[in-house]
Amino acid sequence: MEPSKPSNPLLSLSTVIHQHCLRLGAEFSARVSDTTRFLAGNFPPPSRLRLAPSPPFASVSQPKQTVNTANLSSEHVAKALAGTAVYTVSNSDNEFVLISDPNGAKSIGLLCFRQEDAEAFLAQVRLRRRELRSQAKVVPITLDQVYMLKVEGIAFRFLPDPVQIKNALELKAADVRSGFDGVPVFQSDQLIVKKKSKRYCPVYFQKEDIEKELSKVSRASRGRSLSQHIMVGSLEDVLKKMEISEKNSGWEDLIFIPPGKSHSQHIQEITKA
């Protein structure tokens, strides 16, 4: 089945309204902190891509011999993100409803990995902005669209799934009170796929999805628990590594698997597209 394409709430980028709700961000942060108190309390940091001190995924960090030193293009990185939707709030003209950062210096778009968190954001928008009570709505937007807008200088803040934050901290054996910096993603050497002349390294947004895939691989089910085959990193760090990596380095093989899908299903869909 061909995945539905989320509507794009940024059809009028030149006229994006800057709803400077100076208190909206803080109020919404306080609201969601009740359900994410075990993380770090407030929103994760803005999704500025930054270089990890070490590659989060060892399996794709080994460079291949090549004479081509060109870096991966923004289009290539965006293509690897295709198919995964996040949720935000827009007005009747399909323009982002923006919030201000804590010091009010700039406005940002809030992108939620769970639709229910976007619905909570919508409730706060309707409470604080009377003129948007009947116009604001939750809309999906794909991560490849988000990435290309980030390249153009649009600022975003991600609100990850708190369940996956907890899963990531458990895999890292970290104190849940210390929080997790960024959007957690999961990968395993056991799931690298070679199809014809193409190599795919699936990256998952949900630990449950990668565990389901690993349970099908006989090597992973012998001796050690599934979690010992899983590496965890942040989406921001992985994207940054992709951006600065050369072609044929292995990082161009990454493909992000939408929640709830198998890598075989997603690879089949994107190759057909």
Side-chain angles (χ1 to χ4, degrees):
M1 180 183 297
E2 191 72 13
S4 59
K5 297 182 179 179
S7 59
N8 185 352
L10 296 169
L11 296 178
S12 307
L13 282 177
S14 62
T15 59
V16 171
I17 57 170
H18 285 258
Q19 305 283 358
H20 290 280
C21 309
L22 295 178
R23 294 184 296 273
L24 179 57
E27 291 183 3
F28 180 61
S29 178
R31 182 186 180 97
V32 299
S33 67
D34 290 338
T35 59
T36 59
R37 181 66 63 184
F38 60 89
L39 325 180
N42 295 321
F43 288 125
S47 57
R48 295 190 186 94
L49 306 183
R50 53 195 185 284
L51 177 60
S54 60
F57 293 162
S59 65
V60 295
S61 64
Q62 301 302 320
K64 303 173 185 176
Q65 295 298 321
T66 177
V67 295
N68 188 346
T69 59
N71 289 349
L72 299 181
S73 66
S74 297
E75 290 74 16
H76 184 104
V77 178
K79 186 177 180 181
L81 292 163
T84 296
V86 289
Y87 303 91
T88 189
V89 174
S90 75
N91 65 6
S92 58
D93 294 324
N94 278 338
E95 298 167 330
F96 272 130
V97 172
L98 305 178
I99 63 174
S100 294
D101 63 3
N103 59 16
K106 64 179 180 179
S107 293
I108 58 176
L110 181 66
L111 302 171
C112 305
F113 273 79
R114 297 193 309 179
Q115 186 170 355
E116 62 197 82
D117 291 329
E119 296 288 352
F121 177 34
L122 173 62
Q124 286 297 303
V125 169
R126 287 174 171 167
L127 181 65
R128 296 296 306 170
R129 304 294 298 188
R130 183 174 302 176
E131 69 275 17
L132 292 174
R133 285 181 181 175
S134 62
Q135 300 176 359
K137 57 186 177 181
V138 170
V139 292
I141 178 172
T142 56
L143 282 179
D144 55 315
Q145 293 174 311
V146 172
Y147 181 79
M148 293 308 295
L149 291 170
K150 176 265 172 190
V151 170
E152 295 176 13
I154 307 298
F156 297 103
R157 175 174 291 179
F158 284 121
L159 183 62
D161 182 342
V163 173
Q164 301 312 317
I165 292 284
K166 182 175 182 292
N167 288 337
L169 289 171
E170 289 176 347
L171 285 172
K172 294 170 69 72
D175 187 342
V176 295
R177 291 173 296 180
S178 65
F180 185 90
D181 188 12
V183 176
V185 289
F186 308 90
Q187 189 257 346
S188 174
D189 285 340
Q190 304 286 336
L191 298 176
I192 294 175
V193 178
K194 292 183 180 179
K195 189 173 183 179
K196 296 182 179 180
S197 59
K198 178 67 176 172
R199 181 174 180 263
Y200 297 95
C201 296
V203 179
Y204 297 82
F205 291 98
Q206 294 186 347
K207 178 173 174 276
E208 296 80 5
D209 290 340
I210 193 171
E211 287 180 331
K212 184 177 180 180
E213 298 277 46
L214 282 171
S215 67
K216 303 174 185 177
V217 181
S218 58
R219 289 175 299 170
S221 59
R222 295 176 186 170
R224 299 192 298 172
S225 66
L226 294 180
S227 62
Q228 291 178 287
H229 295 273
I230 300 174
M231 291 172 282
V232 61
S234 74
L235 173 64
E236 294 85 348
D237 288 338
V238 173
L239 292 179
K240 182 59 179 179
K241 186 61 179 178
M242 292 178 73
E243 290 176 332
I244 66 173
S245 294
E246 299 174 356
K247 292 182 179 178
N248 300 318
S249 64
W251 287 89
E252 76 277 9
D253 298 333
L254 293 185
I255 179 173
F256 294 87
I257 310 302
K261 286 189 177 180
S262 67
H263 65 259
S264 59
Q265 179 186 4
H266 184 57
I267 290 172
Q268 183 178 19
E269 288 174 350
I270 62 171
T271 52
K272 283 184 179 180

